[in-house]
Amino acid sequence: MTAAPRPLPYYEDPSPGSGCRPPRAWYARSDARRMSLHGAWRFRLSPTARSADASFARPDFDDTDWDDLRVPGHWVLAGHGAPAYTNTRYPFPVDPPHLPDENPTGDHRHAFDIPADWEPGPALLRFEGVESCARVWLNGRELGHFKGSRLPHEFEVGHLLRSRRNVLAVRVHQWSSGSYLEDQDQWWLPGVFREVTLHHRPVGAVVDHFVHASYDHRTGLGTLRVECAPAGRVTIAELGLDLATGQSATVPVLPWTAETPRLYDAELRTPGERVPLRVGFRTVRVQDGLLTVNGRRVLFRGVNRHEFDPRYGRALGPEAMRRDLLLMKQHNINAVRTSHYPPHPAFLDLCDELGLWVVEECDLETHGFKQQGWRGNPADDDAWTPALLDRARRMVERDKNHPSVIMWSLGNECGTGRGLSAMAAWMRERDPSRPLHYEGDASCANTDVYSRMYADHAEVARIGRREEEPLADPAADARRRGLPFLLCEYAHAMGNGPGGLSEYQRLFETYERCQGGFVWEWTDHGLRKITPYGEAFFAYGGDFGEEMHDGSFVCDGLVFPDRVPSPGLAEFKKVVEPVRIGAAGGAAAAGLPRAVRISNLHDFAGLSHLAFRWSYEAEGEVLAEGPLTVPPLAPGASAEVALPPEPAGRRGREALWTVRALSAADTPWAAAGHEVAWGQLPAAPATPRPVPRSAGARPRHGEGNLVLLGPGAFDATTGVLRYLDGVQLEGPRLDVWRAPTDNDEGAPWQPGPRPAEQWRRIGLHRMRHRVAAVECGRDALVVRTRVAPAGSGLALDTDYRWSADGGRLRLEVSVRPYGDWPCPLPRLGVRMGLCGSLVTARWYGGGPGEAYPDTRAAARTGLWSVPVGALQTPYVRPQENGARIDTRWVELTRSDGSGLRVEGEPAFWFTARRWTSEQLDAARHSTDLTPGDRVRLHLDHAQHGIGSRSCGPGVLPEYALTAAPARFAVTLRTVR
């Protein structure tokens, strides 16, 4: 006889849960009492879901031998188990809805008293977020269970409360059927990680409310209607409105936009509660092939954002959320996609206040099913549709009153299926005021915008022209071709990069259909960890002993885990700045502009909130500066503004105009004087210095197998410079290797060879040098070499021609490739080893941060000075970094001001660090890099671009460093 199948335990049942109240709109405060249940809870971890009974839920259960655990928090970040990172793979067998027996389960207990003035009656126990499944008891009575980690759940508990020692018991399973719906690219972090609160619900309190506040851009009128159960009244004193709920009123208003986030203070009153509201009037539509807000096309300068803190995981407080948004606003970011789940609701309050467009995404991703051809995908299985619909409802109902939320997203990377269609149908019926987004269905059957990830520049241009590859169904193709286009993910910001941002932005500005996108992503997700020696570093996949992980792919943000901006964020700010400052057309054609062109790239705002200033600089010295009067400019308009007469004092130095757009007054996100945009224009070139071709110094043999030339002493056998003015050094000699960036390494699933793989295959990381000749001429020392990798017929024939002029030593390098080079070079230049006592770098050129051929928009020409150590960018996974572009000259000096000066012909990149490229390449974390007794100076004629091939397109052809004949020169001299 066959045994009947065992019923599914609740945590494996595909249903969303039991016992929970219907979802409702979130609001931060009201006059009804609330009580936070945060703090130290008692905690016990069991290795499996079946290993512990429910006796711990009894109020009299003895938990004295349990541990304390901070709530909100994650138990794996408090020493109980360990976090794990995966990108797309499930960290358990794909056997839906079943889970392995190894299912860590955390039992939580918290005892609390009710305040003496708490009135009896209905009350709700609310959980804002628990990963991944929670079963709940209060005072020994089971309330129910729920799944949906980043969504709220409430239980009615008023009848169970007592004045003293209420005992809340919560069992949390790390894995559940809900985990199959939460395969987002992130750390798996179980626990009660958002607030737990008790809400008093007086008779007549608000059960739910829906604020409808539209705006007619043709008339300037806003229409307000608030649905509420039970009925009540809504007042907006500033607008003179006092309405019954359900009643509409139309009045003149100022609209809400991300650029002008105008909110009106309102109050909703029912017989039992008063709720403050902040109302923003705006209308979102897809019309004539464009996504519009208040009748105007919008351009998203956006980022994807996971919730993350390097110490506390997803347990973020309001200060951390505000810090993120202030940084975004200060860097010209105007939009957030909440990848890949609803954020903490307070985050959306801040977006309303500060002004950001939000694409809010449901807590849904089933990416791990792609590896099996989407077989068994819950998004196309009717048994899972109730869970999908529950998640859609909880997101929409919670956040429907936020003006910042202008699109709902069904989820991320779930394939296609009936469940997604059911979600879309429900969302459209419940909230027809917002378009729908979903990237995973190329047919766009359930969406109102065409969305893609990581399309390269050429494909974006085709889409912009509405010439993309057609769909097989002509009707579906015609519908999709008529939709606006977004890059919901692009410019993968992993490590050094992303490259190609400027070229994407020009496409967005050229093709009306292309309405911008969202960089992946906002922050690196490195968890803070301490070595046995007490050194702190940021850990990634594999650093916690995971048997399966995806390495450093979790570190792909524009800010580091501690929110220090990366060079990528500075680049993005410059690329997307809402004011463009450049040379005026006629003046630019003449080569030396005396006028500047100002273009307003805002979607809604004029420029009255900005103050413009000019400065005239000669080799970094400001000779004059002052305000620049810019006429009023509507969005999209431009004007040419005359610059003042050039001041005296240039003295043959290169001169530049710098024009800056600054905030004219304090804003909620920046103080007055904050720089929003800038531009530089050439004013006058430097007076060329004559290059000596026949100097008085001649090569001559010295003692100890040395050849002397001016201030230089060379090894007579190898021709390598050993001393400059008596100071010992190593090199310079040709160098083509760099520690591969994440984008050089590329993603294994992408077609075609990856740069780092090619470089290593042909041996560029182990180049060998052979001296063919050392020739002492009448006025020069010429060293002829071949630089080549072992095991290869490829080579770079390199000649070094040394000449001297007084205390200056000039090196001219000529390079001729030999063989059929199959790939670009990483870099082309020379490197030297200098005395470790050099502590400061001072240079005239691009700065202040690093720049590469396709990440140079933010490099401003000026005079810069920083400690040598500060030249390095501390990427979570060490890699090539720190190059300064367009360097005319650089000085590396000791504390007494003595040192080395290098001038370039033409301008060059320089990089200085206290370890070699080989040591940098070998390091996995910053703690693996130990400063040596030398400063390693790279003087590069050229660098290969960066791209974003870690999860996107590679380097554009114009930024690839093709192996080709090259000639460049540097001049060395000591500084006293």
Side-chain angles (χ1 to χ4, degrees):
M1 187 174 75
T2 303
R6 185 174 61 183
L8 288 174
Y10 67 92
Y11 51 85
E12 289 187 345
D13 192 317
S15 69
S18 66
C20 295
R21 297 280 300 162
R24 64 187 177 109
W26 183 85
Y27 44 95
R29 56 194 176 89
S30 79
D31 66 347
R33 290 291 300 273
R34 296 184 184 183
M35 180 179 175
S36 169
L37 300 181
H38 301 177
W41 291 23
R42 304 297 285 167
F43 177 77
R44 174 187 67 184
L45 184 64
S46 301
T48 75
R50 307 177 192 274
S51 61
D53 59 29
S55 62
F56 84 102
R58 297 196 317 263
D60 60 351
F61 181 86
D62 184 3
D63 60 15
T64 54
D65 61 343
W66 287 22
D67 295 315
D68 281 340
L69 180 70
R70 175 184 178 270
V71 172
H74 304 279
W75 70 67
V76 292
L77 299 184
H80 305 278
Y85 164 63
T86 61
N87 174 22
T88 65
R89 298 174 295 175
Y90 290 104
F92 45 79
V94 183
D95 182 25
H98 304 292
L99 284 310
D101 290 341
E102 299 88 353
N103 186 358
T105 296
D107 289 335
H108 304 67
R109 284 171 55 89
H110 183 59
F112 61 94
D113 298 334
I114 294 295
D117 57 350
W118 185 282
E119 296 181 6
L124 296 177
L125 175 65
R126 182 179 178 94
F127 295 85
E128 296 292 351
V130 181
E131 183 178 330
S132 73
C133 172
R135 186 179 178 189
V136 185
W137 295 261
L138 181 64
N139 293 331
R141 181 79 64 86
E142 182 170 356
L143 304 179
H145 75 277
F146 61 85
K147 311 177 190 87
S149 297
R150 269 69 71 175
L151 293 161
H153 297 83
E154 293 181 320
F155 298 97
E156 170 58 55
V157 296
H159 59 295
L160 299 176
L161 292 175
R162 50 200 188 200
S163 59
R164 303 287 295 174
R165 191 168 166 74
N166 293 275
V167 177
L168 173 62
V170 184
R171 171 162 288 168
V172 180
H173 304 288
Q174 177 158 4
W175 314 122
S176 70
S177 60
S179 302
Y180 284 102
L181 305 180
E182 296 171 6
D183 189 31
Q184 295 102 343
D185 173 12
Q186 62 179 339
W187 292 98
W188 297 90
L189 298 172
V192 183
F193 67 91
R194 287 184 186 161
E195 293 86 348
V196 182
T197 48
L198 191 64
H199 295 234
H200 184 232
R201 308 310 295 147
V203 175
V206 174
V207 176
D208 194 16
H209 69 288
F210 196 164
V211 176
H212 304 272
S214 60
Y215 178 74
D216 188 333
H217 65 280
R218 296 161 299 185
T219 64
L221 300 177
T223 299
L224 176 68
R225 179 173 60 87
V226 179
E227 301 173 16
C228 184
R233 299 195 69 81
V234 179
T235 58
I236 303 182
E238 186 177 355
L239 297 176
L241 293 179
D242 188 344
L243 305 173
T245 54
Q247 180 183 352
S248 295
T250 300
V251 294
V253 297
L254 295 173
W256 188 97
T257 74
E259 295 170 5
T260 56
R262 184 63 160 88
L263 294 171
Y264 289 90
D265 291 329
E267 185 178 72
L268 170 64
R269 302 189 312 276
T270 64
E273 190 174 14
R274 291 173 177 258
V275 179
L277 304 178
R278 295 192 302 177
V279 177
F281 292 87
R282 55 105 184 100
T283 295
V284 186
R285 288 199 178 100
V286 174
Q287 54 188 15
D288 301 324
L290 298 176
L291 176 67
T292 65
V293 179
N294 302 336
R296 294 186 65 90
R297 170 190 183 260
V298 295
L299 180 59
F300 294 114
R301 302 167 170 91
V303 294
N304 285 275
R305 176 186 176 270
H306 271 294
E307 289 184 314
F308 181 77
D309 181 273
R311 292 175 181 266
Y312 306 117
R314 282 186 283 279
L316 268 66
E319 300 82 8
M321 298 178 212
R322 180 175 285 275
R323 177 187 57 188
D324 274 354
L325 287 175
L326 293 181
L327 271 174
M328 290 180 192
K329 292 289 289 187
Q330 290 162 8
H331 287 85
N332 295 330
I333 290 166
N334 72 356
V336 176
R337 174 179 175 232
T338 69
S339 54
H340 297 292
Y341 45 81
H344 190 289
F347 180 81
L348 299 176
D349 262 0
L350 292 170
C351 291
D352 294 343
E353 172 193 332
L354 297 172
L356 281 101
W357 310 117
V358 175
V359 177
E360 185 171 0
E361 197 146 87
C362 197
D363 191 6
L364 178 61
E365 181 169 334
T366 63
H367 202 164
F369 285 88
K370 185 177 181 179
Q371 296 180 355
Q372 54 191 48
W374 296 109
R375 184 181 71 255
N377 183 14
D380 196 31
D381 184 337
D382 291 338
W384 294 81
T385 298
L388 270 63
L389 284 171
D390 180 73
R391 289 169 184 247
R393 290 188 182 108
R394 291 188 182 278
M395 174 181 72
V396 171
E397 299 295 4
R398 190 193 76 169
D399 297 331
K400 57 184 178 278
N401 296 326
H402 290 282
S404 58
V405 177
I406 62 170
M407 274 194 285
W408 301 117
S409 180
L410 302 181
N412 184 67
E413 293 174 320
C414 297
T416 59
R418 300 185 298 274
L420 293 170
S421 297
M423 293 171 68
W426 182 87
M427 288 180 179
R428 285 199 168 101
E429 181 179 0
R430 178 58 174 150
D431 181 21
S433 72
R434 290 179 173 97
L436 299 186
H437 169 273
Y438 178 65
E439 179 273 339
D441 181 4
S443 74
C444 300
N446 296 310
T447 72
D448 300 303
V449 297
Y450 178 27
S451 178
R452 285 290 311 280
M453 293 181 181
Y454 307 109
D456 64 24
H457 300 80
E459 184 179 359
V460 171
R462 291 194 297 272
I463 293 171
R465 298 190 298 267
R466 302 187 190 270
E467 296 174 358
E468 64 266 29
E469 192 72 23
L471 296 170
D473 181 347
D477 182 67
R479 178 181 177 277
R480 190 185 73 177
R481 214 171 287 273
L483 296 178
F485 175 72
L486 301 177
L487 277 170
C488 67
E489 295 179 20
Y490 82 113
H492 197 252
M494 186 175 179
N496 188 334
L501 284 171
S502 295
E503 290 71 24
Y504 272 120
Q505 197 66 19
R506 297 301 174 264
L507 292 171
F508 302 154
E509 295 170 6
T510 299
Y511 298 108
E512 192 177 45
R513 183 191 190 190
C514 298
Q515 295 191 236
F518 300 82
V519 169
W520 187 270
E521 66 157 306
W522 173 240
T523 184
D524 285 342
H525 295 187
L527 287 167
R528 190 174 186 271
K529 196 173 181 182
I530 307 295
T531 71
Y533 306 101
E535 298 175 291
F537 68 98
F538 293 119
Y540 47 75
D543 287 331
F544 295 94
E546 307 102 303
E547 62 181 8
M548 187 179 77
H549 63 85
D550 286 297
S552 63
F553 200 71
V554 75
C555 297
D556 44 17
L558 291 172
V559 297
F560 298 124
D562 55 4
R563 284 358 187 232
V564 171
S566 77
L569 183 58
E571 180 79 358
F572 191 56
K573 176 186 178 180
K574 175 61 180 168
V575 167
V576 303
E577 59 190 10
V579 179
R580 183 154 300 138
I581 301 169
L592 297 177
R594 287 294 301 278
V596 62
R597 183 175 180 84
I598 308 292
S599 300
N600 182 3
L601 303 183
H602 289 92
D603 295 325
F604 298 92
L607 300 183
S608 61
H609 62 294
L610 298 176
F612 290 81
R613 292 191 62 83
W614 63 268
S615 63
Y616 182 92
E617 303 156 20
E619 203 166 294
E621 179 187 357
V622 177
L623 300 181
E625 58 184 330
L628 186 71
T629 301
V630 176
L633 291 176
S638 299
E640 294 189 0
V641 180
L643 291 166
E646 293 185 19
R650 183 171 74 86
R651 299 194 304 276
R653 296 174 293 176
E654 177 185 5
L656 298 168
W657 297 99
T658 300
V659 177
R660 306 163 65 214
L662 313 172
S663 54
D666 290 348
T667 69
W669 47 269
H674 167 75
E675 185 177 271
V676 173
W678 61 272
Q680 285 188 314
L681 300 79
T687 302
R689 293 178 179 175
V691 177
R693 293 300 177 186
S694 181
R698 293 186 176 189
R700 67 186 194 279
H701 286 278
E703 297 180 359
N705 198 35
L706 293 177
V707 174
L708 306 180
L709 177 63
F714 299 80
D715 186 299
T717 303
T718 64
V720 173
L721 179 65
R722 295 302 187 197
Y723 297 92
L724 181 66
D725 263 348
V727 178
Q728 188 176 24
L729 45 73
E730 301 171 6
R733 66 178 186 172
L734 191 75
D735 183 34
V736 297
W737 178 246
R738 72 185 189 194
T741 68
D742 291 315
N743 290 302
D744 292 336
E745 298 285 5
W749 58 82
Q750 292 175 321
R754 301 187 297 279
E757 180 182 68
Q758 291 180 299
W759 297 340
R760 288 192 175 99
R761 186 171 65 248
I762 65 175
L764 297 188
H765 60 312
R766 46 179 173 78
M767 299 291 277
R768 300 294 182 260
H769 299 251
R770 176 173 65 84
V771 177
V774 178
E775 302 170 355
C776 293
R778 187 176 66 85
D779 59 357
L781 174 68
V782 178
V783 183
R784 306 190 189 281
T785 70
R786 171 162 283 202
V787 183
S792 170
L794 301 172
L796 297 168
D797 289 327
T798 306
D799 292 348
Y800 307 89
R801 185 183 187 277
W802 292 95
S803 58
D805 173 22
R808 295 155 53 89
L809 195 61
R810 184 176 188 271
L811 168 64
E812 184 177 298
V813 182
S814 61
V815 181
R816 301 173 304 282
Y818 176 85
D820 186 13
W821 284 76
C823 62
L825 298 172
R827 71 184 337 138
L828 182 64
V830 295
R831 72 170 170 179
M832 307 170 62
L834 306 177
C835 178
S837 62
L838 300 171
V839 294
T840 301
R842 181 173 176 264
W843 75 98
Y844 176 56
E850 73 182 26
Y852 291 81
D854 53 350
T855 64
R856 60 176 297 158
R860 189 180 325 207
T861 301
L863 185 61
W864 312 102
S865 180
V866 299
V868 168
L871 292 169
Q872 294 297 285
T873 302
Y875 293 113
V876 173
R877 187 193 73 80
Q879 57 198 272
E880 166 63 31
N881 72 90
R884 266 55 178 187
I885 199 170
D886 288 339
T887 305
R888 281 68 154 174
W889 58 260
V890 59
E891 293 178 350
L892 297 175
T893 56
R894 302 174 181 83
S895 56
D896 64 1
S898 65
L900 175 71
R901 178 182 173 101
V902 183
E903 299 170 2
E905 306 166 35
F908 57 96
W909 277 271
F910 88 89
T911 308
R913 55 175 70 104
R914 297 190 181 276
W915 39 78
T916 66
S917 296
E918 291 74 18
Q919 290 168 324
L920 187 61
D921 186 16
R924 293 186 67 248
H925 298 100
S926 58
T927 49
D928 297 332
L929 292 167
T930 302
D933 61 356
R934 286 281 186 267
V935 171
R936 308 295 174 171
L937 176 64
H938 296 257
L939 307 171
D940 289 314
H941 173 63
Q943 281 265 0
H944 184 60
I946 296 297
S948 62
R949 196 164 184 163
S950 54
C951 190
V955 174
L956 287 165
E958 57 265 39
Y959 302 121
L961 179 51
T962 304
R967 186 182 297 269
F968 58 95
V970 294
T971 300
L972 313 177
R973 68 177 174 87
T974 56
V975 178
R976 299 295 185 189

